[in-house]
Amino acid sequence: MSTSSTTSADRTETGRRFRTALFVDFDNVYIGLQRLDPVAAEAFATDPAHWLSELETGTDSEGDFTRKFLVRACYLNPSRFAQFRPNFTRAGFQVVDCPSLTQQGKSSADINLVLDAVDALAAPTRYEEFVIVSADADFTPLAQRCRAADRRVTIMTASPAAAAYRAVADHVITADDLAELVTSTASTLNVEAPRAAVVVPPARGRTKTAGKAEQPEKAIETPPATPVVPASEAARKAILQRVRTADRPVTLGAVAGAAQKADPALTGSSWGGAGGFLQWLARNVPEVASSPRPPGYVWDPKRFGEADLPGAVAEADTDPSALQRQVTAVTDTPGLSRSNYRVLLTALAADIAAHPFDRAETSRRVRNACQEAGAAVGRSTVNFVISGALYGGEQLTSKTTAKDVAAAWADNVVGLCRGARMELSNGDVAAIRDWVGGGLLK
């Protein structure tokens, strides 16, 4: 009897299956989630079996897939988080105690995680995917090593992650996505497939029509179990998968490439007689929004707006400075104008003064308030600022002022810039704080 192994994801009757190695930097994730959403932090720590099961299925630009977690490792500091250890042990994790080894209280989680991941790379079992659950950019070299070995890399973050760290990953599950995943009853990260029409047959037997004799009902043809999907529908599905699984608007080129890969007949300039990709997109995939502004973007309008486009500036008569463009490019800080930042920060302070803070509802109300005030601010932009203010140390209570929010948010942006190794003079820091603080920090 012989055995064989594959060198890529298993292809099963239901799609792709990845043999996955999962590494969780518990301290980093728990502390990050506590700042963003304390309820999500507790759900992450107390019920890992739930979010682990949610991660067993997913969708990416190539379609549906499943994961088989062959390695489940969790690294935590027992002097601070020992109470959560049994939860992960019960969920099948190998829990590695990483006590503090320095006077500064830093644990050995990073080095233990890296050593185990490198061992997994060299193991006889080939793990097609490495999932690193941490926002710590120190894991960037590890992610690069995994990619160099032709392994899929997924990172899950609970706080802002450096652009270089995100860039080496095949897929990024952001802090907002992670918070929704650990608190939901069904995964919000998967694309909902187009729903087939439901055929409800009438009751069996004969039917009676007034003034007419009973007529036997016509036989109802049962649709085939696996209908043939037209090529155009395959391209449509590929686009929806690509756009709905992205954590930001996607370039036109990337979306067009996904469509042509799913339907090679679309290759060329005619796009099925539509005359161009944008025209074809508007006709065949009305669920998405697009902008032709170079390089052009496509996005899910339920999650993003034009204000969320990279480098977007809400006021046409505002010319961002070179510093602002650099900050936007390397940290993903929304490129709003100074005046629109003021509108957003003021609206956020007014909302939490009138309503208890709830991340989802607060962001929705603030987005609406900004747009009513004439500021084209997207909901993801509001969420980005809220997260930044929380990471900056502001609690967002009814006593929080617009200036308090602006100060915490500005501190976070400056921290992101320093984390991206931007060299900032005192004048640069002052300019950034004045810009993202909406002029509230005098």
Side-chain angles (χ1 to χ4, degrees):
M1 181 177 180
S2 62
T3 59
S4 62
S5 61
T6 60
T7 57
S8 61
D10 289 340
R11 298 283 175 172
T12 67
E13 292 181 359
T14 57
R16 296 171 299 153
R17 182 180 66 179
F18 294 114
R19 292 188 288 269
T20 300
L22 172 69
F23 302 93
V24 179
D25 183 356
F26 180 88
D27 299 25
N28 179 276
V29 177
Y30 183 73
I31 293 172
L33 280 179
Q34 273 192 319
R35 294 176 178 174
L36 178 65
D37 188 337
V39 173
E42 293 305 308
F44 167 80
T46 59
D47 194 7
H50 165 68
W51 54 262
L52 188 67
S53 67
E54 291 293 294
L55 289 172
E56 288 179 348
T57 59
T59 300
D60 60 13
S61 59
E62 296 184 21
D64 298 335
F65 63 83
T66 60
R67 293 185 174 102
K68 184 177 183 182
F69 290 103
L70 300 183
V71 173
R72 306 174 184 182
C74 176
Y75 306 81
L76 61 76
N77 185 343
S79 64
R80 296 187 61 186
F81 303 116
Q83 71 271 29
F84 299 122
R85 196 180 197 280
N87 301 329
F88 282 80
T89 301
R90 187 169 63 249
F93 280 80
Q94 174 192 7
V95 179
V96 181
D97 288 336
C98 302
S100 299
L101 302 178
T102 66
Q103 292 182 346
Q104 290 75 27
K106 182 174 178 58
S107 75
S108 58
D110 293 8
I111 187 63
N112 279 299
L113 191 157
V114 170
L115 288 173
D116 288 347
V118 171
D119 284 346
L121 271 175
T125 300
R126 179 180 173 84
Y127 304 104
E128 290 103 2
E129 181 185 39
F130 282 70
V131 178
I132 304 170
V133 189
S134 177
D136 193 340
D138 288 346
F139 292 121
T140 302
L142 172 61
Q144 290 172 329
R145 176 71 66 86
C146 292
R147 286 185 64 89
D150 192 23
R151 313 298 173 92
R152 174 186 170 98
V153 178
T154 295
I155 62 174
M156 299 172 60
T157 70
S159 53
Y165 181 38
R166 298 195 311 273
V168 296
D170 296 284
H171 183 55
V172 179
I173 298 177
T174 64
D176 285 335
D177 288 335
L178 178 58
E180 291 179 9
L181 182 144
V182 300
T183 56
S184 67
T185 57
S187 176
T188 58
L189 299 182
N190 298 334
V191 178
E192 181 180 355
R195 296 182 179 179
V198 178
V199 178
V200 181
R204 293 189 177 183
R206 297 175 177 268
T207 58
K208 181 179 291 186
T209 305
K212 295 184 180 181
E214 293 183 359
Q215 298 292 332
E217 62 183 38
K218 294 182 180 180
I220 298 176
E221 295 183 1
T222 303
T226 55
V228 177
V229 180
S232 59
E233 182 61 24
R236 180 184 131 78
K237 183 177 180 181
I239 288 175
L240 289 174
Q241 289 173 337
R242 183 71 177 87
V243 172
R244 290 177 176 171
T245 57
D247 62 352
R248 66 194 67 190
V250 186
T251 61
L252 279 175
V255 176
Q260 290 174 335
K261 182 178 180 180
D263 181 2
L266 293 175
T267 302
S269 60
S270 64
W271 282 95
F277 175 58
L278 282 175
Q279 293 86 340
W280 182 92
L281 186 69
R283 177 189 303 173
N284 293 278
V285 197
E287 298 93 335
V288 302
S290 62
S291 170
R293 187 179 68 190
Y297 290 94
V298 182
W299 64 90
D300 179 0
K302 293 182 179 179
R303 296 185 298 146
F304 305 112
E306 289 200 20
D308 299 311
L309 299 182
V313 178
E315 291 181 358
D317 59 349
T318 300
D319 184 19
S321 66
L323 177 62
Q324 291 175 5
R325 291 188 184 279
Q326 185 181 19
V327 171
T328 299
V330 302
T331 69
D332 291 330
T333 296
L336 299 182
S337 65
R338 180 175 180 268
S339 60
N340 279 353
Y341 265 124
R342 188 184 190 98
V343 172
L344 193 163
L345 296 167
T346 303
L348 177 56
D351 188 86
I352 58 179
H355 307 280
F357 174 69
D358 177 270
R359 192 164 50 89
E361 290 301 312
T362 299
S363 65
R364 179 183 59 80
R365 290 192 298 264
V366 172
R367 184 273 311 272
N368 293 343
C370 290
Q371 294 186 352
E372 290 173 1
V377 176
R379 189 166 178 179
S380 66
T381 298
V382 177
N383 277 325
F384 197 101
V385 173
I386 288 175
S387 298
L390 291 170
Y391 295 136
E394 190 56 50
Q395 296 300 311
L396 300 184
T397 67
S398 59
K399 297 182 180 179
T400 301
T401 66
K403 186 175 181 179
D404 295 333
V405 178
W409 160 240
D411 289 343
N412 176 258
V413 173
V414 172
L416 291 175
C417 294
R418 296 193 188 283
R421 303 296 187 267
M422 284 182 62
E423 296 183 2
L424 302 176
S425 66
N426 291 338
D428 291 336
V429 172
I432 292 171
R433 289 176 59 84
D434 179 66
W435 165 43
V436 301
L440 297 169
L441 303 176
K442 298 296 185 180

